[in-house]
Amino acid sequence: MNSKAIILAGAAVLFASPVQAQRDFSQVEIKAQELAPGIAVLFGAGGNIGVSHGEDGTILIDDQFAPLSEKIEAAVAGLGASPTAFVINTHWHFDHTGGNENFGEKGALIFAHHNVRARMIEGSTGRFEVPPAPAAALPVVTYEQGVRMHRNGDTIDVMFVGGGHTDGDSVVFWKEDNIVHMGDLYFNSPGYPFIDLESGGNVLHAMTSLDTVIRAIDDKTQVIPGHGPMSDKAGLVAYRAMIGEAVGLVRALKDGGASVDEAVAAKPLAGFNRGEGFIGPDAFVTAIYQSLEAE
């Protein structure tokens, strides 16, 4: 299998369009975990959803797939929260923005980085067929570096710290409650990071973004990953270290004259013991090599 096919196989589920995604969502449960008064995370299918709720309205950080919107609304109501007033997209991928149209049509104001809106307008006709998003799904408020919201007794900083998973990744900090939502800059799950090269992702940018967040948090920070269970600074530091080690190994092969296919064949990550996950070692080696080519 060549390097393009490896990435295709690993990423097909993440990029499933409404036409491609014939998944039965009827069995998906949305489970809530409260992190602090007025703050929770929702786990279901797709990216983890952060929730801020209180007298100033409900904010969702990402909204998974469109067929889950009613279940997400029910989970929000189960927290004692009002209907969603704001949505923040951490990036453009369909498992994080699939509910945008439903929430937008009900009046939610959608925020995201400039590049998120641009990619949603364009869609994708390349490796993955993602149709252009309808107007109601598009972010209405966009930003280059970030935006600060003062809601529900917290200062909520939405920040672009350099991207890496895509070219429009945001992280969300609750300053007073010491919580951060990482989006897909952090996969706290088996397998390897997904670096979406076609969406402007680059593993070197991802490392820089992770370093920025790590410097900004402490040992008591609750870390919401894009996928997987809750984590903390130690978990994020270990994840960043794993990426750095992998990049070093692939860089050595590339600098030694290996082609991308030769680097994959060398199995430089054989000793990493990351388990079976969404992205396998060969796809990650390919993404690292191609990121290095873009230096």
Side-chain angles (χ1 to χ4, degrees), residues 14-15 89-93 112-123 142-146 159-171 182 184-185 194-206 209 291 294:
L14 182 71
F15 274 93
N89 294 143
T90 61
H91 60 291
W92 85 283
H93 287 160
H113 188 269
H114 297 322
N115 291 339
V116 173
R117 180 180 168 92
R119 292 194 179 280
M120 291 180 70
I121 289 172
E122 183 177 355
T142 64
Y143 49 82
E144 186 65 36
Q145 297 300 324
M159 300 176 65
F160 176 77
V161 292
H165 172 60
T166 70
D167 59 6
D169 303 300
S170 293
V171 296
M182 294 296 300
D184 280 3
L185 287 168
F194 176 40
I195 305 298
D196 183 4
L197 300 164
E198 286 194 338
S199 294
N202 183 294
V203 72
L204 304 179
H205 299 168
S209 293
S291 296

Side-chain angles (χ1 to χ4, degrees), residues 20 26 38 71 75 93 106 111 114 125 153 171 174 201 209 244 273 294:
Q20 294 169 321
S26 65
K71 292 184 177 183
H93 287 160
K106 291 186 175 182
F111 293 70
H114 297 322
T125 56
V171 296
W174 285 263
S209 293
N273 191 30

Side-chain angles (χ1 to χ4, degrees), residues 9-158:
V13 175
L14 182 71
F15 274 93
S17 72
V19 175
Q20 294 169 321
Q22 301 300 320
R23 177 174 178 177
D24 180 9
F25 287 99
S26 65
Q27 302 304 310
V28 174
E29 295 183 42
I30 305 296
K31 298 182 178 179
Q33 179 179 342
E34 293 194 65
L35 306 180
I39 303 175
V41 59
L42 303 181
F43 303 100
N48 295 333
I49 299 173
V51 184
S52 167
H53 63 94
E55 62 182 12
D56 297 324
T58 298
I59 305 170
L60 294 189
I61 318 300
D62 291 337
D63 50 29
Q64 298 191 357
F65 295 97
L68 296 175
S69 294
E70 289 187 4
K71 292 184 177 183
I72 292 167
E73 290 176 325
V76 167
L79 295 169
S82 58
T84 300
F86 306 96
V87 172
I88 299 167
N89 294 143
T90 61
H91 60 291
W92 85 283
H93 287 160
F94 202 80
D95 61 324
H96 295 256
T97 64
N100 274 22
E101 182 178 9
N102 293 334
F103 288 104
E105 286 181 341
K106 291 186 175 182
L109 188 63
I110 304 172
F111 293 70
H113 188 269
H114 297 322
N115 291 339
V116 173
R117 180 180 168 92
R119 292 194 179 280
M120 291 180 70
I121 289 172
E122 183 177 355
S124 175
T125 56
R127 297 175 181 175
F128 310 106
E129 294 183 11
V130 181
L138 295 175
V140 174
V141 180
T142 64
Y143 49 82
E144 186 65 36
Q145 297 300 324
V147 62
R148 172 169 285 181
M149 302 175 73
H150 303 274
R151 312 299 291 177
N152 302 324
D154 241 312
T155 305
I156 302 172
D157 284 335
V158 185

